[in-house]
Amino acid sequence: MTKNDLDLIKKWFSYYCRSHYSSIEEDQKNIALKELHSYNVCRNAIRIGKEIGLSEQAMLLVEVIGLLHDVGRFEQYAEYKTFRDSSSINHGMFGAQEITKKRVLQSLTPEERDLILDAVKYHNAFVIPDLKDERKLLYLKIVRDADKLDIWRVFKEYYLNPSGMASAVNLGLPASDNYSPDIISCLREKRIGKLSDAKTITDFKLLQLSWVYDLNFSISTRIAIEQGYINIIEQQLPQNDEMKSVLEVLNAYLKERALVA
Ligand SMILES: [Fe+2]
């Protein structure tokens, strides 16, 4: 893969986004949110890739994966008007199909194509699948971290300015201080929670915090702390002893992870 291939893919992506623009304000906001997210994930992925010392050639692949990881979101929204996979389609799998259908990676080698498609397919999988290929796993881990970091950025902006945000951000969950014991257990056991367990916005906030336990690189932990992503979610939670104790565990874990070289 060459820099020229990357430039062509970037052009295609920009055209693809534009082809999904809408004159309906609400729809346009949701599409613009995903377009910006794609560019930011790309940037985060580059930052992680550089930090872990990837080659220039590898960085080209990282950039493509970051840019295309959510390509499935655009048709998902066009068809179902939601970003909730459980009530529509798996946007990772769908994105990989879309890339193949549109022949976006035509000029790359079959190996490069396969690597990119697997990263897109599994970027949103609940657990990292056993791909039996260290190289593939590395790229997948990078995009998964880069993605979480930017989803936290979206929520940070939402919490700072709730009325200015696109409607699909909260997945239509009801606002309530109630939360599920299952998500609390996940946090206690340092595991990530399942989106299907989130019944309220508070559950969703706790779920977002649990992603800390799924970060693959210490640089990602450092970015999360530095950008205040975790702090702001914590501030949005109901105040009680149960919360205090899970947050203590979480903050201690974050600090410890951030110190790893
Ligand atoms: Fe995604």
Side-chain angles (χ1 to χ4, degrees), residues 126-257:
F126 183 62
V127 284
I128 295 177
D130 183 11
L131 294 176
K132 304 204 189 314
D133 179 333
E134 282 306 316
R135 203 165 150 246
K136 271 191 184 175
L137 282 170
L138 178 69
Y139 289 92
L140 179 58
K141 286 176 179 172
I142 294 173
V143 73
R144 286 171 68 95
D145 279 20
D147 191 22
K148 289 186 178 74
L149 286 168
D150 195 61
I151 299 175
W152 280 325
R153 192 263 315 158
V154 171
F155 281 99
K156 180 181 170 184
E157 286 174 13
Y158 171 68
Y159 297 134
L160 292 175
N161 177 21
S163 58
M165 191 45 77
S167 59
V169 165
N170 264 330
L171 303 174
L173 291 167
S176 161
D177 273 356
N178 293 340
Y179 52 90
S180 127
D182 292 341
I183 296 186
I184 291 289
S185 305
C186 285
L187 284 163
R188 284 225 173 87
E189 292 156 24
K190 301 183 181 173
R191 296 186 281 119
I192 52 165
K194 281 205 168 104
L195 187 56
S196 52
D197 287 338
K199 302 281 181 275
T200 66
I201 298 275
T202 302
D203 281 341
F204 194 33
K205 290 171 186 165
L206 291 169
L207 179 77
Q208 287 161 23
L209 282 183
S210 77
W211 293 347
V212 156
Y213 297 119
D214 196 40
L215 290 178
N216 298 294
F217 303 98
S218 58
I219 175 67
S220 313
T221 317
R222 287 198 289 279
I223 298 172
I225 297 173
E226 171 191 300
Q227 297 295 324
Y229 296 150
I230 308 303
N231 261 340
I232 194 140
I233 303 173
E234 291 183 356
Q235 287 162 13
Q236 306 296 319
L237 291 168
Q239 308 264 316
N240 60 42
D241 287 347
E242 195 167 39
M243 283 298 159
K244 225 184 261 169
S245 91
V246 292
L247 294 185
E248 252 168 40
V249 175
L250 187 110
N251 290 325
Y253 176 86
L254 263 178
K255 261 193 205 147
E256 189 190 308
R257 281 282 295 163

Side-chain angles (χ1 to χ4, degrees), residues 34 37 69-71 73 85 91-92 120 123-124 147 151:
K34 285 301 169 193
H37 169 68
H69 82 286
D70 253 359
V71 100
R73 288 301 196 188
D85 283 16
H91 74 275
V120 172
H123 82 271
N124 59 330
D147 191 22
I151 299 175

